[in-house]
């Protein structure tokens, strides 16, 4: 035996098995559970405890199941919410009750839906208030750091992405999904000097109609777009020959993030401030012919943002 000192042998002459939870009579003899009961009811030992009988005063103390043909009884009453009759555990959810009329059902549904609707309306108002406060704080140099952290926390709360990405490598954005599969109109700028440069990229705290996501700073831009499409359930055929390709744009100015080089690292884009963590990005379909006609210095802008 693995534990020879644990338990004791039953002293019944025909048993003698080892019981790890033995029961000892006041006479000093040790038994297993089965033979301890036999010892007590045999009447051979005067010191053995007498079994206790449960004596109900009448049959009215037992609640009989209302299901036809069922003879089970319970000591506790379990009433059906519809017909107020007692049923046993097996017939607790029975189909024999009359159906609830439409008016009663509508009232019950409204009883449960009203608090949920009130919460959604209150939460919508709260989010709008938070967005407005963050927007005001971003305009103040003293509060911009705190406002940026609050904005980023809101994105992190509901961000989607692969769990395999470690927390230290995650970077968060708010993604606006394409409305349809049609290629969007873009403006191609070949002369870099003609592009109006933005001195500093600012965050847009309005998260309406966006999906919070996270990607890895160690990924290439192409892999980041693939992951965003998986998280946002966007049709992605960038790896196939087709009429359209997906590209990532900044919501602020419609600037396309590296339209030709999909192997550029996300960390590089962040270090050059082409991307800003917590920013709103737009992912859209554009014509493949437009991409194929670009030179290395050309840039693309969404016309709606120009």
């Amino acid at each position: 035996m693995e534990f020879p000192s644990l338990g004791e042998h039953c002293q019944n002459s025909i048993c003698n098995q080892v019981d790890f939870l033995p029961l000892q009579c006041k006479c000093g003899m040790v038994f297993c559970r089965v033979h301890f009961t036999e010892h007590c009811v045999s009447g051979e030992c005067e010191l053995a405890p007498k079994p206790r009988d449960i004596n109900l005063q009448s049959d009215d103390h037992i609640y009989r199941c209302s299901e036809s043909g069922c003879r089970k009884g319970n000591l506790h009453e379990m009433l059906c919410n519809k017909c107020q009759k007692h049923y046993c555990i097996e017939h607790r959810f029975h189909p024999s009750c009359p159906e609830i009329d439409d008016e009663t059902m509508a009232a019950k549904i409204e009883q449960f839906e009203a608090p949920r609707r009130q919460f959604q309306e209150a939460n919508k108002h709260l989010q709008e208030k938070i967005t407005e406060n963050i927007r005001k704080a971003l305009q103040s140099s003293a509060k911009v750091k705190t406002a940026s952290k609050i904005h980023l926390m809101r994105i992190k709360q509901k961000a989607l992405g692969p769990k395999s990405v470690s927390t230290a490598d995650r970077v968060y954005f708010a993604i606006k999904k394409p409305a349809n599969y049609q290629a969007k109109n873009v403006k191609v700028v070949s002369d870099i000097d003609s592009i109006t440069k933005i001195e500093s990229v600012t965050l847009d705290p309005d998260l309406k109609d966006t999906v919070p996501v996270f990607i890895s700073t160690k990924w290439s831009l192409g892999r980041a777009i693939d992951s965003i499409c998986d998280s946002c359930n966007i049709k992605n055929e960038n790896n196939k020959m087709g009429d359209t390709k997906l590209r990532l744009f900044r919501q602020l100015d419609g600037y396309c993030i590296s339209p030709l080089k999909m192997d550029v690292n996300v960390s590089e884009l962040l270090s050059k401030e082409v991307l800003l963590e917590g920013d709103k990005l737009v992912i859209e379909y554009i014509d493949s012919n437009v991409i194929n006609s670009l030179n290395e210095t050309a840039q693309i802008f969404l016309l709606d943002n120009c």
Side-chain angles (χ1 to χ4, degrees):
M1 293 180 60
E2 190 174 355
F3 304 102
S5 62
L6 186 62
E8 293 189 40
H9 288 271
C10 176
Q11 292 182 313
N12 185 284
S13 58
I14 61 173
C15 181
N16 200 36
Q17 70 173 351
V18 176
D19 196 307
F20 295 104
L21 295 172
L23 299 173
Q24 186 175 23
C25 179
K26 291 182 179 180
C27 66
M29 298 185 68
V30 177
F31 299 93
C32 64
R33 182 177 60 82
V34 175
H35 294 115
F36 179 77
T37 304
E38 292 183 3
H39 177 73
C40 293
V41 300
S42 65
E44 297 176 357
C45 179
E46 296 181 356
L47 299 177
K50 299 297 183 290
R52 297 179 181 179
D53 297 328
I54 299 176
N55 297 316
L56 296 175
Q57 295 180 0
S58 68
D59 191 59
D60 294 338
H61 286 75
I62 299 179
Y63 296 96
R64 300 292 178 182
C65 180
S66 301
E67 183 71 15
S68 178
C70 181
R71 302 179 62 184
K72 293 182 180 179
N74 299 93
L75 296 177
H76 300 281
E77 189 176 25
M78 295 179 290
L79 298 178
C80 173
N81 294 329
K82 298 179 183 178
C83 61
Q84 298 300 310
K85 293 182 180 180
H86 170 80
Y87 288 88
C88 65
I89 295 295
E90 183 179 350
H91 301 112
R92 183 90 171 110
F93 302 99
H94 57 96
S96 58
C97 278
E99 293 294 333
I100 301 177
D101 59 89
D102 294 340
E103 185 177 351
T104 305
M105 180 62 73
K108 286 183 175 293
I109 293 175
E110 177 62 22
Q111 181 182 357
F112 290 102
E113 290 295 332
R116 181 185 300 178
R117 188 168 55 251
Q118 292 173 1
F119 171 79
Q120 291 176 346
E121 292 176 357
N123 186 57
K124 180 182 178 181
H125 176 73
L126 176 62
Q127 294 300 326
E128 291 175 352
K129 189 68 176 178
I130 293 174
T131 299
E132 185 62 28
N133 290 339
I134 294 176
R135 182 176 283 111
K136 291 179 180 178
L138 288 172
Q139 297 173 359
S140 171
S141 58
K143 299 179 180 179
V144 65
K145 190 173 181 180
T146 302
S148 299
K149 287 183 178 180
I150 296 174
H151 172 68
L152 193 57
M153 285 171 58
R154 294 173 69 197
I155 295 178
K156 288 182 177 181
Q157 285 178 349
K158 299 182 179 180
L160 305 175
K163 296 181 180 180
S164 58
V165 179
S166 65
T167 307
D169 295 333
R170 294 180 182 182
V171 59
Y172 298 82
F173 299 99
I175 303 297
K176 184 177 180 182
K177 299 168 59 175
N180 49 56
Y181 299 135
Q182 296 180 356
K184 296 298 180 292
N185 295 325
V186 294
K187 177 182 179 181
V188 179
V189 179
S190 299
D191 185 6
I192 299 179
D193 296 331
S194 64
I195 299 177
T196 303
K197 295 183 179 180
I198 300 176
E199 294 184 0
S200 62
V201 179
T202 57
L203 295 172
D204 182 0
D206 189 4
L207 300 179
K208 186 179 180 181
D209 299 328
T210 62
V211 180
V213 302
F214 64 83
I215 56 177
S216 174
T217 55
K218 296 181 179 180
W219 288 351
S220 65
L221 177 61
R223 185 177 178 185
I225 291 177
D226 292 340
S227 179
I228 291 172
C229 291
D230 291 339
S231 300
C232 300
N233 195 25
I234 301 172
K235 183 181 178 181
N236 178 19
E237 294 184 349
N238 278 5
N239 60 339
K240 299 179 181 179
M241 297 292 293
D243 297 331
T244 59
K245 295 293 181 183
L246 282 167
R247 287 297 182 266
L248 207 57
F249 298 83
R250 288 194 307 229
Q251 170 75 19
L252 178 66
D253 55 359
Y255 174 77
C256 182
I257 310 297
S258 185
L260 290 177
K261 296 181 180 180
M262 290 289 101
D263 58 346
V264 62
N265 200 280
V266 173
S267 60
E268 181 182 343
L269 296 172
L270 290 169
S271 64
K272 293 180 178 179
E273 296 187 353
V274 177
L275 289 176
L276 182 65
E277 185 175 20
D279 200 6
K280 284 178 66 175
L281 303 177
V282 181
I283 189 166
E284 282 291 359
Y285 296 96
I286 60 175
D287 196 325
S288 298
N289 295 326
V290 174
I291 298 176
N292 296 333
S293 63
L294 295 177
N295 57 48
E296 293 184 358
T297 60
Q299 301 295 333
I300 301 177
F301 291 84
L302 283 175
L303 283 178
D304 294 340
N305 295 75
C306 290

